[in-house]
Amino acid sequence: LQAVPLGALPVNDAGLTLADVYSAGTFYTPSIAMLHTARERQVSSLSVASNLICVQNPTEDLRGADEEVGQLVDMVTKAGQAGQPPVTVLKGAGATSDCVQETLRRASATPHQPFALHFACHG
């Protein structure tokens, strides 16, 4: 189900979508257990993340993925909050499985330092 863009579902005849109604965002988790774990840790917002990691179009065949990550990075960096999270973008052919795993290992090596991870790629 995480491949289904639920946020794009229309909620009325005027074209309003689920994402329009719930502007705080729609979130996907692979299981209810993962949702419970995420809520217990309270790591659901970029405002508490100490790092943002984006995996951007590693197969280089997705139109819009570059713009998607660019908008997310702009949103985070333009927030202008003190202590905004550093951004790591793993892009194109450089976003190999090994590179992603190593970046995640480094990000999770520090206890109690949450990070946000965004994938703009195939499932």
Side-chain angles (χ1 to χ4, degrees):
L1 279 176
Q2 65 260 26
V4 178
L6 297 176
L9 289 174
V11 294
N12 64 17
D13 292 336
L16 200 63
T17 66
L18 196 62
D20 295 326
V21 173
Y22 296 100
S23 61
T26 52
F27 303 92
Y28 300 84
T29 59
S31 70
I32 196 70
M34 290 298 292
L35 177 61
H36 179 70
T37 299
R39 285 189 174 165
E40 275 187 344
R41 291 183 181 179
Q42 298 177 357
V43 183
S44 61
S45 169
L46 288 177
S47 64
V48 298
S50 61
N51 193 7
L52 170 63
I53 302 166
C54 297
V55 178
Q56 179 180 335
N57 200 9
T59 54
E60 299 179 337
D61 64 347
L62 290 175
R63 292 185 316 156
D66 297 339
E67 182 180 351
E68 175 184 325
V69 170
Q71 288 177 358
L72 178 60
V73 169
D74 285 347
M75 181 180 71
V76 169
T77 56
K78 286 181 182 176
Q81 297 175 353
Q84 67 187 17
V87 177
T88 302
V89 178
L90 306 174
K91 182 177 180 180
T96 64
S97 177
D98 288 343
C99 183
V100 171
Q101 289 178 33
E102 178 57 30
T103 302
L104 292 176
R105 258 193 296 281
R106 280 186 275 128
S108 59
T110 307
H112 309 294
Q113 293 293 319
F115 59 90
L117 177 61
H118 180 80
F119 287 95
C121 57
H122 294 285

